[in-house]
Amino acid sequence: MQLKKKIGIIGGGPAGLTAAYLLGQAGQDVTVFEADPEYVGGISRTETYKGYHFDIGGHRFFSKSQEVEDFWTEILGDDMLQRPRSSRIYYGKKFFSYPLAAFDALKKLGIIESGLCMLSYLRAKLFPVKNPTNFEDWVSNQFGKRLFNIFFKTYTEKVWGISCKEISADWAAQRIKGLSLSSTIKNALFHPKSKDKHSVIKTLIDTFRYPRLGPGMMWEVCAAKSKAMGVKVEMGARVTGIYQENDEWAIEINNGKRYTGFDHVISSAPMRELIASLSPAPAEEAMNAAAALSYRDFITVILILKDKHIFSDNWIYIHDPSVKVGRIQNFKSWSPEMVPDPSMACYGLEYFCFDTDGMWNMADADLINIGKVEIAQIGLAAQADIVDGYVVRQKKAYPVYDQAYKQRVETIKQGLAEYQGLHLIGRNGMHKYNNQDHSMMTAMLAVKNILAGKQLYDLWQVNEDAEYHETIEKNAPKAGRLIPEALNRA
């Protein structure tokens, strides 16, 4: 018989709720603390307005881990749709297929520009930047400087708000590992009819699964099933203090209520906030490192409009510096059930910013007007067809991978080593730009460690150096789980 443990989980996003569900299945005493008073799912929630559903950031459900795929199936079953992947890049007043279609790009860039891009790529192969440490150098090595300037620089700097020279190469290696000009052209020219999911480059996938009412549906059902197993989910419970008391933990929330007697605390809260709320406080070096971590926020401007069938992609990346919008989603293409009226469309214009920027504090009506002007400027809609709008703000959407982030995270990890029973999971919890499935895997491994009563797995190895993200383990069975190897501990 397994000894029942009391576990507090901070955050009701994909990582936190995955842990809650699995621990509930194992008969543990679990309480989830979610700061939002209404929605679970974190950035993977689905918000609604007048019957329209919208995804905050766009979430393709695709994983090389069968364990993650099985989890999604267990939660939603037939409510998971199989959807075609379709996206484009807007550059120079033209729309380019993404991933790159060789003849489409050749035609739209023109023979001269295409030739210059190939020469730039050959130069990068002959004279690469050795040991690239920043995003610009890493991508230029893979694609050439000219293609970097066309298809990476503007969008990336919109997302992060800093120069590509200031962004760590880790982010490029993690997000687009295995993708280069040669692999992109090979995919465009010799597109295979079927692919082993374990070998496909994730950026090049053809289809993905998607909940019929958006990603939040997954986590709403997961929370409901967890509660049915006895898991307690406290909404509107922003954690203000985490206390280590002898061999137990206590958690205090914003209304002053304190929950005590936890054997373990699992945190997906932003690392900066977690460290500031810990008592006793970590070493000064860890406190300073956490305070220096940065996050990128973003705004989604929702436009509801008459559907003129101009835009059928899941999303379009906007590489045009003349507009502020960075990416535009078409929620109807994610799932037709997201839009209640078949004659209407619903677009989401994403603006990346910091919560200290003027844009973050603009009135909703002003943001909607900016969206109307820019969608018309790009040519995806006429302002006269737009009938309504809505605004969603998302704080701490992306942990920033600046040049100093890795050393700061390492300093924090060392500072937390003495806190037995504290487990960091998820994107913000570990300050790692994880996809949803990677965040879930950190939760799954944390649960295995807790139930075993020892550290079977090192959670920090999930997506380490992009290996989890893009490749299956050596010697792993073809249909096996994609997880770090178990530590050799008795």
Side-chain angles (χ1 to χ4, degrees):
M1 292 293 291
Q2 205 163 53
L3 183 65
K4 190 169 188 176
K5 300 170 184 177
K6 187 173 182 180
I7 300 148
I9 299 176
I10 303 172
L17 287 176
T18 296
Y21 181 85
L22 296 174
L23 288 166
Q25 275 189 329
Q28 304 301 301
D29 183 354
V30 181
T31 303
V32 178
F33 301 93
E34 169 52 47
D36 194 288
E38 185 177 359
Y39 295 103
V40 293
I43 195 174
S44 296
R45 70 189 182 278
T46 302
E47 292 211 15
T48 60
Y49 172 71
K50 295 184 178 178
Y52 290 81
H53 294 69
F54 22 89
D55 189 342
I56 313 303
H59 291 84
R60 297 196 299 260
F61 284 70
F62 173 89
S63 180
K64 294 181 181 183
S65 165
Q66 191 60 47
E67 188 171 13
V68 171
E69 290 278 4
D70 290 345
F71 184 98
W72 289 332
T73 301
E74 183 174 336
I75 299 298
L76 279 190
D78 292 340
D79 282 324
M80 290 289 279
L81 307 177
Q82 191 76 25
R83 301 297 297 158
R85 180 206 196 275
S86 175
S87 53
R88 287 181 291 170
I89 290 172
Y90 178 72
Y91 168 78
K93 298 185 178 180
K94 296 176 182 177
F95 294 93
F96 293 78
S97 298
Y98 184 77
L100 179 68
F103 297 111
D104 173 75
L106 180 66
K107 177 181 177 182
K108 290 171 182 172
L109 285 175
I111 294 176
I112 293 175
E113 182 62 49
S114 296
L116 291 172
C117 287
M118 289 303 301
L119 289 173
S120 176
Y121 173 68
L122 292 173
R123 177 181 175 83
K125 293 294 102 180
L126 291 170
F127 307 104
V129 176
K130 293 183 179 179
N131 302 315
T133 60
N134 64 66
F135 180 85
E136 180 170 331
D137 290 344
W138 194 97
V139 175
S140 295
N141 278 357
Q142 300 296 106
F143 290 86
K145 182 72 76 173
R146 203 168 187 95
L147 278 175
F148 162 77
N149 285 323
I150 293 172
F151 290 125
F152 293 91
K153 179 179 171 63
T154 299
Y155 175 76
T156 301
E157 291 184 352
K158 281 184 182 182
V159 171
W160 296 109
I162 57 178
S163 164
C164 289
K165 286 281 191 184
E166 299 176 61
I167 301 169
S168 171
D170 293 350
W171 185 68
Q174 180 175 304
R175 303 304 291 181
I176 53 177
K177 176 180 167 63
L179 188 64
S180 65
L181 182 59
S182 58
S183 66
T184 304
I185 293 175
K186 181 180 177 181
N187 183 79
L189 292 174
F190 308 107
H191 195 60
K193 292 183 179 180
S194 63
K195 295 176 179 174
D196 177 354
K197 69 185 291 185
H198 296 303
S199 62
V200 67
I201 299 171
K202 198 162 189 176
T203 307
L204 304 179
I205 63 170
D206 293 317
T207 64
F208 57 90
R209 292 200 291 169
Y210 193 77
R212 61 183 181 82
L213 292 177
M217 185 183 190
M218 173 69 67
W219 304 112
E220 289 158 10
V221 174
C222 182
K225 289 186 173 183
S226 297
K227 286 191 278 189
M229 293 185 290
V231 172
K232 297 171 282 294
V233 180
E234 302 288 344
M235 300 298 294
R238 181 172 55 85
V239 172
T240 56
I242 307 164
Y243 305 91
Q244 188 178 42
E245 301 170 338
N246 300 319
D247 294 329
E248 293 184 342
W249 290 88
I251 293 175
E252 187 171 279
I253 62 173
N254 49 301
N255 65 4
K257 185 174 180 180
R258 181 180 284 219
Y259 298 74
T260 61
F262 294 109
D263 300 297
H264 296 268
V265 171
I266 299 175
S267 176
S268 64
M271 189 180 276
R272 191 172 70 191
E273 295 177 4
L274 171 79
I275 300 304
S277 64
L278 268 178
S279 180
E284 184 178 359
E285 293 84 357
M287 295 287 287
N288 292 339
L293 292 175
S294 297
Y295 302 85
R296 192 66 164 157
D297 314 296
F298 81 92
I299 297 166
T300 303
V301 174
I302 309 298
L303 298 178
I304 298 169
L305 64 160
K306 298 173 185 175
D307 192 357
K308 297 297 180 67
H309 306 287
I310 297 173
F311 174 17
S312 61
D313 306 85
N314 308 126
W315 59 38
I316 296 177
Y317 300 96
I318 308 300
H319 290 235
D320 188 336
S322 71
V323 292
K324 294 179 180 178
V325 64
R327 189 171 64 180
I328 303 175
Q329 293 198 61
N330 180 353
F331 298 115
K332 201 172 188 178
S333 288
W334 288 98
S335 168
E337 294 188 49
M338 304 270 277
V339 179
D341 185 343
S343 69
M344 303 298 287
C346 185
Y347 298 164
L349 284 68
E350 296 177 358
Y351 294 89
F352 306 95
C353 59
F354 296 109
D355 62 8
T356 53
D357 292 348
M359 175 167 259
W360 180 267
N361 296 301
M362 288 178 71
D364 288 0
D366 293 334
L367 290 168
I368 291 167
N369 284 333
I370 290 173
K372 288 179 178 179
V373 170
E374 293 197 342
I375 198 82
Q377 182 177 333
I378 293 167
L380 292 175
Q383 287 196 53
D385 291 332
I386 300 169
V387 301
D388 206 349
Y390 185 74
V391 174
V392 178
R393 290 172 174 82
Q394 177 62 48
K395 283 193 175 186
K396 295 183 175 64
Y398 308 121
V400 173
Y401 274 29
D402 56 26
Q403 291 289 342
Y405 95 96
K406 182 176 279 188
Q407 182 55 53
R408 289 171 182 151
V409 171
E410 188 58 38
T411 299
I412 293 165
K413 284 168 60 179
Q414 292 172 9
L416 293 179
E418 64 188 82
Y419 292 85
Q420 296 300 309
L422 178 62
H423 311 264
L424 274 55
I425 62 172
R427 174 183 285 189
N428 279 337
M430 305 176 80
H431 204 83
K432 295 181 75 171
Y433 196 140
N434 288 330
N435 278 343
Q436 180 175 223
D437 63 324
H438 303 120
S439 293
M440 292 172 62
M441 183 56 73
T442 63
M444 290 173 171
L445 299 184
V447 168
K448 294 177 193 295
N449 288 344
I450 288 170
L451 295 180
K454 58 184 177 181
Q455 189 184 7
L456 293 176
Y457 298 96
D458 181 358
L459 276 57
W460 294 94
Q461 293 301 313
V462 174
N463 208 7
E464 183 67 19
D465 296 327
E467 291 303 312
Y468 173 89
H469 187 58
E470 299 298 1
T471 60
I472 192 164
E473 293 173 27
K474 274 185 184 178
N475 305 320
K478 187 171 182 182
R481 296 176 302 175
L482 191 58
I483 60 176
E485 291 184 11
L487 300 171
N488 185 19
R489 297 191 178 185

